[in-house]
Amino acid sequence: MERPAWAPRSIDISVPSVSRIYDYYLGGSHNFEVDREAARKAMEFLPGLPKIMQANRAFMRRAVRFAAAEGITQFLDIGSGIPTFGNVHEVAQAASPGARVMYVDHDPVAVAHSQAVLAGNETADVVAADLRKPQEILASAEVRRLIDVNRPVALLLVAILHFVEDADDPYGAVAQLREALAPGSLLILTHASYEGIPLPPERAEGAVDVYKDIRNPLIMRSRDEIARFFEGYDMVEPGLVPMPEWRPDTVLEDEDPYSFSGFAGVGRAA
């Protein structure tokens, strides 16, 4: 397999990547046949996966605009993935010129692409780090340069927590980030769940098994389990809801049934 110029030498392009599979679902071009093969295999069980990902991105954009309208000018996006059109810095800086955006990802491809996209943007940057080590994220020189934790921050954990197993204490990681950020900060979160998927859970489980096979287990949590991530936050209306139902700017009746899979919410730190 020929290595394209944009693929860092350090990555194994014969192994599927969650970031590149997500890029494929969104219609991006920064993925390999191994990623497309895994995505197509998952879609055999859950054909609406691209619709779910599109709904996830649409929620993210609405939530970022909401945060900007609330006066927040700092955005910390952990598990940011490969930049695609309408990413956080584009939405935030369009709504609030000068907004500071810090991307965090542990995928070398996502980091390399972010660096290329952000070249020349003095108020947006990326750092290679892992959500499971929140103190390393907060202590990094890149984050300290752009993010003032003594002022409210919009913390984005969008489609990332369902890749963190309970053994790695995702609730503890989210709590550490909450404690480090100023009162008035926002938590913007989406999470996969069997609830809302217009298929029997045992059918959807086939897609989950594909992620397990590529050593990126997808942890499907219940609504109540997802709500626990918001401990210490006051939920912003309409609360924790299916993604299209969070402050929609489209007619819900026109949404694809798969778009209502999983949950999204925004909380404000007391």
Side-chain angles (χ1 to χ4, degrees), residues 99-119:
R100 294 171 173 261
V101 178
M102 190 71 229
Y103 291 121
V104 181
D105 207 290
H106 66 76
D107 184 329
V109 172
V111 173
H113 276 292
S114 298
Q115 288 170 336
V117 168
L118 299 173

Side-chain angles (χ1 to χ4, degrees), residues 248-267:
D249 52 15
T250 57
V251 179
L252 289 180
E253 288 76 9
D254 294 340
E255 293 284 346
D256 187 281
Y258 278 100
S259 299
F260 296 86
S261 307
F263 293 96
V266 176

Side-chain angles (χ1 to χ4, degrees), residues 36-108:
R36 297 189 285 273
E37 183 181 344
R40 288 191 291 264
K41 193 176 296 183
M43 288 169 62
E44 288 176 12
F45 300 98
L46 199 53
L49 275 166
K51 293 294 184 183
I52 296 172
M53 304 311 170
Q54 290 162 21
N56 185 77
R57 295 286 297 185
F59 159 77
M60 179 274 288
R61 290 191 288 267
R62 295 196 304 277
V64 167
R65 286 194 292 268
F66 168 80
E70 292 288 295
I72 289 183
T73 59
Q74 304 185 103
F75 297 81
L76 178 59
D77 183 0
I78 301 178
S80 49
I82 294 172
T84 55
F85 176 75
N87 215 328
V88 173
H89 73 282
E90 294 173 332
V91 178
Q93 293 178 347
S96 177
R100 294 171 173 261
V101 178
M102 190 71 229
Y103 291 121
V104 181
D105 207 290
H106 66 76
D107 184 329

Side-chain angles (χ1 to χ4, degrees), residues 23-205:
D23 178 69
Y24 172 72
Y25 288 142
L26 291 174
S29 58
H30 296 105
N31 49 76
F32 304 125
E33 181 54 33
V34 68
D35 306 305
R36 297 189 285 273
E37 183 181 344
R40 288 191 291 264
K41 193 176 296 183
M43 288 169 62
E44 288 176 12
F45 300 98
L46 199 53
L49 275 166
K51 293 294 184 183
I52 296 172
M53 304 311 170
Q54 290 162 21
N56 185 77
R57 295 286 297 185
F59 159 77
M60 179 274 288
R61 290 191 288 267
R62 295 196 304 277
V64 167
R65 286 194 292 268
F66 168 80
E70 292 288 295
I72 289 183
T73 59
Q74 304 185 103
F75 297 81
L76 178 59
D77 183 0
I78 301 178
S80 49
I82 294 172
T84 55
F85 176 75
N87 215 328
V88 173
H89 73 282
E90 294 173 332
V91 178
Q93 293 178 347
S96 177
R100 294 171 173 261
V101 178
M102 190 71 229
Y103 291 121
V104 181
D105 207 290
H106 66 76
D107 184 329
V109 172
V111 173
H113 276 292
S114 298
Q115 288 170 336
V117 168
L118 299 173
N121 189 330
E122 291 299 316
T123 53
D125 201 355
V126 61
V127 64
D130 195 315
L131 170 62
R132 293 170 294 187
K133 299 176 180 178
Q135 296 307 322
E136 289 185 13
I137 294 173
L138 296 167
S140 70
E142 294 88 347
V143 170
R144 290 168 68 89
R145 180 180 76 85
L146 279 184
I147 303 296
D148 178 359
V149 296
N150 296 308
R151 294 172 44 238
V153 175
L155 169 64
L156 289 94
L157 300 176
V158 174
I160 179 64
L161 285 164
H162 48 234
F163 290 114
V164 184
E165 299 180 80
D166 287 342
D168 290 320
D169 192 18
Y171 296 102
V174 174
Q176 286 184 55
L177 289 164
R178 183 194 69 233
E179 290 163 7
L181 300 179
S185 292
L186 296 179
L187 171 60
I188 297 171
L189 180 153
T190 65
H191 198 297
S193 177
Y194 285 123
E195 296 176 41
I197 296 178
L199 283 176
E202 50 277 13
R203 174 76 187 277
E205 198 171 334

